[in-house]
Each structure stands twice: as structure tokens, then as C-alpha cells.
């Protein structure tokens, strides 16, 4: 069946469809969260400084830190580091995009694309009437959306390489990747400059490196790349330190630790250097100087919540935000991972899952485990690579066609739920920028044909 079809004609269309869905639905800025990431990226890419004073309005006055009379992003810098090329290019195209928007307005046509979603535009104008017009950031909005899409697709490529190394059949790989991209929050958050998918993509690379080291014991290059991926994930989201370190201790041979640690140095030095320049100490972070949320200034007070209530919110149906309420297919994947990790050949998966427990417990104790102003479980996106592995295993080893039918039904319901909730929050519509999405999809399709057309490891037959 599917095993007779070359990879490029299966995965090429899938990746093109995901590119169309994500980039065609992107609307630029969505909230103070991605606004703060953009402000920092602009400061670093355009002015070579950490202060965001000229772009403070992009944070909507919410996700901002203040120190010695200057404004800074409260976000970890990893997301901004990765977005530097997109922001630099976007800034150089903003002028032409503004002229085109003016022509559209004079012709009585709706301005497309917009630099941000409607709620963001309204809040920005109300709170900062004297700030630079968002129309001056149209191209930047498009480029950061494209960056988010490509980063999400890169994560899926890394997860697919992990599934290949696990010798899963093509149908299992296709199902796992389609679920991740269409039926979990991986898809919605691959349309905007949030940290979550970038963190998950780096963790996917980290887990691929962990498995490669565990199975093949390859040389220093893999160990260096594993360390770099783990450090990048931490630079995007400080809290995943509580996952990366335990997973490393549980799964990586101690003789590989020096090379792994060496691989962490570039991004670690860049992150600590940013902290030193912005906040006066390598160990001081933006949250220590938060101007809006008092609880965030003391790291201990940020994690004083009830862990049982937090777990119900994250994994269950508390506040309607958790996996059970919004993306039960992801919960099924995590449960399948636990089930199949009992097998001797998948023991490393059990160790990796165990290594994520300290991070999960810390999230459950967070003051806002549902994600703050948006009631969803986006903090759990970093664990979705493991959920995808569980879904691939569940599909591969399903003992009945009805189990697969149930999994497909669960995925369809999850997809409807996560996209409906996300679009309602930002008051957007699916494929609002379908023309740009189509162009992106065509480019991704061509790249996928080349990438998946390369000879690679064989997978198990259908």
C-alpha cells in the first residue's frame, strides 16, 4: 500500500497543506506575548541593543520589564534570537508594504494583509495613540508569521526523523504528523511568534539526538548538536531546564556529557550575555523586573499554585483549557507513549518521559497553568513531540481497524476544538490570507519533494 509510494509524494503534500493552513491563517501580531518577542528581536536585529524603548508599545504595556528607567522584554531571548533574520528582512520591506496598503485604502479596498489581528490593533491604538502606526509593520507581521510556520515545519521534520529511526511505517508517521499539525496547539501556535513551538522544535532535535546517542553511540557531532538543541530550548523557555537536564541525566551515557555540554556553549553564552547587558547579571531575567505582574518578580511566588488543580487544568478539563477538553488526541498520544515505553526496545522513551515530570509538576504549580490571558494549554506544547511518538506507536500497533477509526475521529474532534478556540480568541478566520498561504505551500512542496526524495533509512512495511 503506502509503502510502495515514495516518501516525497506522501509527505510533500502533507507539509504543503500544513504550510497553507498555518501561513494562510497567520495574522501577524496576536497579543502582548508575541509583541514582546518582536520588540526584543527588533532591538537586537535593528539597533544592536537589548532595550525595547522605541518599540515598547508592541508589548501593549503588559509583557514588559523595567530597569533603571529603561524598558526591556520580559521574555526569554531564544525566540527573538531565532527570529532575527525574519525581523531584519521584514523591516526592509515595511516601507513598500505601507505604500501598497495606502494604495489599497485609496482604492476603497480592504487592506490585506494586516500587521496584527483585530483585537491587537484596537488595543494598541487605544493604549498607545502616539506610537508608530502598526501599518508601518505590515511586512514584518507577514515575515514573523512565515518564520513561525517554517519553524513549526522544521519541528515536524525532526519528529519524522525520530519516527523513522523508530522504524515506524509511513502510515504511522503520516498520522502522527498530521495530528500534530492539524489537531493540537502545534498548528495554531505555528502562526505567530510565540515561544512554545520554537521550544518544542528545539526539544524535538534534542530528543532525536538523545535517541541517536542511545542507539548508535555516534561521535562528537551528534553530541554537540544534542547539546545545542537542548540549550536552545532552554533559551526559548527557561522552565524546560527542568526537562532537558533530567532527560540528559537519565538517557545520555556519561562519557558523552562533555561533548553535549560543549554543544550548549554558544547559545548559553549568548543568553547569559544578554541577561548581563539587559539586567545587570547573567542570572537575572526579565521576570525579575516585571512591570505588570507582581507575582512574576519573585520566582518562588510564581510556582505556589495547587499542583492537583494545575494538572487538571493542563491535562484534564479544568477551565476548559486542558488536553482532555481541547486536544484529547494529544492526551491519547501521551498515554500511548507510557504504554509502549514498557517494551525493552523503547526503554529510553520511558526514561525521556520520566525526565519531563519535574517540568510538568512545576507547570502545574504555576500561578497561571492555563496560559494567562488565554485559557488553553499552550505551556504543554513542548511535550507534543513525545505525544507524536506515542500516536505513531498507537497507529502502528493498533490491533483493530476500529482503533484507527477511533483515533481519526478523536483527531478530527481535537482539530475542530483547538482551531475554534484559537480563532475565537484573536477574532480571526481560517485562511484569511489564503493567497500568501498558497505561495508558501508551493515553495514548501518543492522543498519537501527534494528533501523527502533523498534516500534514507527503510521503515517497516505496512
Amino acid at each position: 500500500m503506502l509503502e510502495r509510494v515514495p516518501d516525497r509524494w506522501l509527505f510533500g503534500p502533507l507539509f504543503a497543506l500544513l504550510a497553507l493552513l498555518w501561513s494562510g491563517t497567520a495574522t501577524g501580531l496576536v497579543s502582548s506575548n508575541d509583541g514582546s518577542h518582536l520588540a526584543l528581536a527588533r532591538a537586537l536585529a535593528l539597533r544592536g541593543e537589548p532595550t525595547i524603548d522605541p518599540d515598547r508599545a508592541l508589548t501593549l504595556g503588559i509583557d514588559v520589564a523595567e530597569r533603571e528607567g529603561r524598558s526591556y522584554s520580559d521574555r526569554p531571548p531564544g525566540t527573538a534570537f531565532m527570529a532575527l533574520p525574519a525581523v531584519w528582512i521584514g523591516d526592509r520591506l515595511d516601507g513598500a508594504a505601507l505604500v501598497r496598503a495606502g494604495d489599497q485604502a485609496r482604492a476603497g479596498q480592504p487592506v490585506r494583509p494586516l500587521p496584527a489581528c483585530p483585537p491587537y490593533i484596537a488595543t494598541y491604538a487605544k493604549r498607545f495613540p502616539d506610537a508608530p502606526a502598526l501599518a508601518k509593520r505590515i511586512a514584518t507581521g507577514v515575515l514573523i508569521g512565515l518564520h513561525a510556520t517554517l519553524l513549526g515545519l522544521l519541528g515536524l521534520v525532526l519528529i519524522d526523523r525520530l519516527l523513522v529511526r523508530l522504524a515506524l511505517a509511513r502510515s504511522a508517521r503520516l498520522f502522527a504528523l498530521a495530528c500534530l499539525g492539524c489537531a493540537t496547539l502545534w498548528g495554531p501556535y505555528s502562526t505567530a511568534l510565540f515561544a512554545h513551538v520554537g521550544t518544542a522544535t528545539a526539544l524535538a532535535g534534542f530528543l532525536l539526538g538523545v535517541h541517536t546517542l542511545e542507539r548508535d553511540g555516534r561521535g562528537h557531532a551528534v553530541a554537540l548538536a544534542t547539546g545545542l538543541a537542548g540549550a536552545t530550548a532552554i533559551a526559548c523557555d527557561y522552565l524546560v531546564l527542568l526537562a532537558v537536564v533530567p532527560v540528559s541525566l537519565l538517557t545520555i551515557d556519561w562519557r558523552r556529557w562533555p561533548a553535549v555540554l560543549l554543544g550548549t556553549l554558544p547559545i548559553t553564552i549568548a543568553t547569559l550575555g544578554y541577561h548581563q547587558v539587559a539586567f545587570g547579571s547573567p542570572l537575572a531575567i526579565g521576570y525579575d523586573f516585571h512591570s505588570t505582574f507582581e507575582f512574576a518578580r519573585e520566582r518562588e511566588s510564581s510556582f505556589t499554585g495547587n499542583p492537583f488543580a494545575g494538572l487538571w487544568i493542563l491535562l484534564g478539563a479544568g477551565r476548559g483549557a486542558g488536553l482532555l477538553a481541547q486536544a484529547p488526541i494529544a492526551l491519547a498520544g501521551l498515554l500511548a507513549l507510557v504504554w509502549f515505553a514498557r517494551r525493552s526496545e523503547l526503554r529510553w522513551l520511558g526514561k525521556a518521559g520520566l525526565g519531563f515530570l519535574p517540568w510538568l509538576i512545576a507547570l502545574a504549580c504555576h500561578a497561571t497553568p492555563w496560559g494567562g490571558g488565554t485559557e488553553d494549554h499552550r505551556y504543554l506544547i513542548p511535550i507534543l513531540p513525545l505525544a507524536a511518538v506515542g500516536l505513531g506507536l498507537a497507529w502502528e500497533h493498533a490491533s483493530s481497524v476500529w482503533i484507527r477509526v477511533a483515533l481519526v475521529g478523536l483527531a478530527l474532534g481535537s482539530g475542530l476544538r483547538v482551531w475554534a478556540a484559537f480563532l475565537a480568541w484573536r477574532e480571526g478566520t481560517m485562511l484569511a490570507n489564503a493567497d500568501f498561504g498558497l505561495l508558501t505551500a508551493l515553495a514548501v512542496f518543492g522543498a519537501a519533494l527534494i528533501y523527502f526524495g533523498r534516500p534514507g533509512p527503510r521503515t517497516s512495511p505496512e
Side-chain angles (χ1 to χ4, degrees), residues 11 14-15 18 21-22 156 163 171-184 186-187 329 388 391 411 415 419:
F11 293 90
L14 173 62
F15 276 68
L18 292 175
L21 176 63
W22 298 350
L156 295 190
L163 297 178
S171 62
R173 293 161 54 202
L174 285 168
F175 177 73
L177 297 182
C179 283
L180 205 62
C182 298
T184 74
W186 190 291
I329 190 65
L391 288 172
W419 281 102

Side-chain angles (χ1 to χ4, degrees), residues 16-317:
L17 286 173
L18 292 175
L20 171 62
L21 176 63
W22 298 350
S23 62
T25 305
T27 57
L29 291 167
V30 174
S31 74
S32 60
N33 189 317
D34 54 327
S36 190
H37 286 303
L38 176 58
L40 177 55
R42 282 179 55 81
L44 297 175
L46 308 181
R47 301 187 297 276
E49 61 183 19
T51 178
I52 64 168
D53 284 332
D55 292 309
R56 187 180 187 277
L58 294 175
T59 70
L60 301 182
I62 298 175
D63 289 317
V64 60
E66 294 181 351
R67 175 176 175 262
E68 298 179 353
R70 307 297 298 274
S71 297
Y72 300 88
S73 171
D74 70 332
R75 308 284 95 176
T79 301
F81 289 165
M82 290 192 287
L84 291 179
V87 170
W88 187 86
I89 296 171
D91 180 71
R92 277 145 185 79
L93 298 177
D94 278 334
L98 179 61
V99 172
R100 181 175 182 272
D103 293 340
Q104 290 174 328
R106 283 188 292 272
Q109 302 172 350
V111 175
R112 289 289 186 273
L114 292 171
C117 68
Y120 184 98
I121 294 173
T123 304
Y124 182 93
K126 181 178 179 181
R127 293 185 179 179
F128 299 95
D130 298 326
L134 282 175
K136 296 180 178 180
R137 304 287 176 260
I138 291 177
T140 293
V142 171
L143 265 292
I144 61 173
L146 178 61
H147 163 78
T149 291
L150 296 179
L151 193 59
L153 292 175
L154 173 61
L156 295 190
V157 169
L158 294 171
I159 292 170
D160 181 63
R161 292 303 90 192
L162 179 56
L163 297 178
V164 167
R165 294 191 62 80
L166 292 173
L168 295 188
R170 285 171 176 161
S171 62
R173 293 161 54 202
L174 285 168
F175 177 73
L177 297 182
C179 283
L180 205 62
C182 298
T184 74
L185 285 180
W186 190 291
Y189 282 94
S190 291
T191 68
L193 191 64
F194 282 74
H196 314 297
V197 173
T199 303
T201 293
L203 284 176
F206 170 72
L207 291 171
L208 177 60
V210 164
H211 178 56
T212 303
L213 291 174
E214 187 272 342
R215 183 173 179 177
D216 300 340
R218 291 189 180 180
H220 295 305
V222 173
L224 291 170
T226 302
L228 179 63
T232 300
I234 296 169
C236 292
D237 181 351
Y238 301 128
L239 198 61
V240 297
L241 174 73
L242 298 180
V244 171
V245 171
V247 170
S248 299
L249 295 176
L250 289 171
T251 61
I252 300 176
D253 188 289
W254 65 270
R255 288 168 292 188
R256 298 292 183 190
W257 291 355
V260 172
L261 289 173
L262 183 62
T264 68
L265 287 182
I267 192 68
T268 299
I269 292 173
T271 301
L272 295 180
Y274 164 75
H275 291 163
Q276 175 66 48
V277 174
F279 305 115
S281 167
L283 299 181
I285 61 177
Y287 297 123
D288 298 338
F289 301 89
H290 210 290
S291 65
T292 307
F293 302 117
E294 184 176 353
F295 76 83
R297 296 176 199 145
E298 297 179 5
R299 300 175 200 181
E300 298 82 1
S301 64
S302 296
F303 300 94
T304 55
N306 184 325
F308 298 103
L311 286 172
W312 177 239
I313 289 172
L314 290 168
L315 300 176

